Amino acid sequence: MPNPVLVAAVEGGGTSFVVAVAEINMQSNNTQILHRAEIDSSHDDPNRTLEECASFFRNHKNISEDGYRALGVAMFGPLGCNAERKEHYGRILPTTPKKSWRGVDILTPLVKACESEGERGRKIAVKIDTDVNAPAVAEYLAIKADPTATSNPISSLAYVTIGTGVGVGLVIHGQPIHGKMHPEGGHVPVQPLEGDNFTGYSWGANSKNPFRGKHTVESMTSSVALAERLEQLQGEEGNSSTNQQNLNRSCLADLKDDDHEVWSHAANALANLCVTLALVTSVEKIVLGGGVMNRNGLIEKVRQQTRFLLNGYLGDLTDADLSEWITSSSYGSDVGLMGALVLAQQAIAEEAEREKATVVPIKKLKQIAYGAGLWHGFGLGLSAAYIGICLWARSGKSSSRR
């Protein structure tokens, strides 16, 4: 295998896709991004978005004489990421709230664009996972590679992204969690703050979301939910000029007050999630990312509310304990893309393991066949000798010599 190898990576989001071409040194794990681009996906035209991604990869395919070695895709969900379920693998599942993306085949057009043609053409290694599981693996590996990142070795990590929606990726004993589907922690219920009459975002009213989107993490703390809550609060305050406007999520960025009531509700919902993760998985590290977490002071509010809700059940957590346990992403806004690159690297390593597993049995079979041939030849030799002795005895020559 050439080193370094050329890989393609995709981070797929509801408003944009980030695509990149990178070189990865499989021995040192060093990654160098050569080209990257951001592609609009807010128009809800999957074919257009995927074709623009494919075009990007076709344009950079000739950087290496051997072409792309692997493709890693970190994609919004719900997503079919179990390769054993071929009818769903690489596709957006029908339960996604993004109607135009339901059932869309993500992998086929991307793989076709990345694979080489002609005599040198070969299939590339491919790995796809959610846009939260992949970053969770990237964060976990970064911590494992840096002994100073935490005072104690960890075996589990949760990555939570808070933006248009809320997603949760889980790594337990070094492996991302898959099962009946994949973690969807953004839809777990929360205990609202006392006196809160906001039940959740309007998206949940006619959806198939668990709990019908009422009092869940996503319905209370996503950017959509916070914008709707702000609109409700400003309406109650009688701000007619604002009340007449059709507020969108940009109003959150315009909100200068870091201690505004909406951030208390956001922190409470996220603290509920942290407590749930801790009690269900006993997770050793919780990484919070996404656009909403850019708000100054929000992560500290989450930590303090988490301690309040735990009520001492996990012991006396100091501020230092909380700061080490609940952290920001080490990759910042690039965590999703780094997750996709990690998937590409893992795809190459897993393919090499499969090839090795195939070569070993073949070699073993050859050894067995060789050994069997020797024993077979030895057996034939003995048989021939025995027959010769018998024939010699019958000829009478043996008796004449007595």
Side-chain angles (χ1 to χ4, degrees), residues 220-286:
M220 300 291 277
T221 195
S222 64
S223 59
V224 175
L226 295 177
E228 290 186 358
R229 180 188 287 277
L230 182 60
E231 181 179 31
Q232 183 187 90
L233 288 171
Q234 291 175 329
E236 289 175 356
E237 293 167 3
N239 188 336
S240 57
S241 61
T242 304
N243 197 35
Q244 291 172 357
Q245 297 176 9
N246 182 19
L247 286 183
N248 55 42
R249 282 165 279 169
S250 64
C251 68
L252 296 173
D254 297 333
L255 190 60
K256 304 304 181 185
D257 185 2
D258 293 335
D259 292 319
H260 192 282
E261 182 181 339
V262 295
W263 307 120
S264 297
H265 292 291
N268 178 65
L270 291 173
N272 270 260
L273 176 59
C274 290
V275 170
T276 299
L277 290 170
L279 297 180
V280 173
T281 70
S282 197
V283 68
E284 296 159 289
K285 178 79 74 173
I286 300 175

Side-chain angles (χ1 to χ4, degrees), residues 55-82:
S55 177
F56 173 85
F57 291 131
R58 284 193 295 266
N59 290 340
H60 295 96
K61 185 184 297 185
N62 295 327
I63 292 177
S64 169
E65 184 178 312
D66 295 313
Y68 298 113
R69 186 69 184 80
L71 168 68
V73 181
M75 192 69 191
F76 69 79
L79 175 70
C81 46
N82 184 346

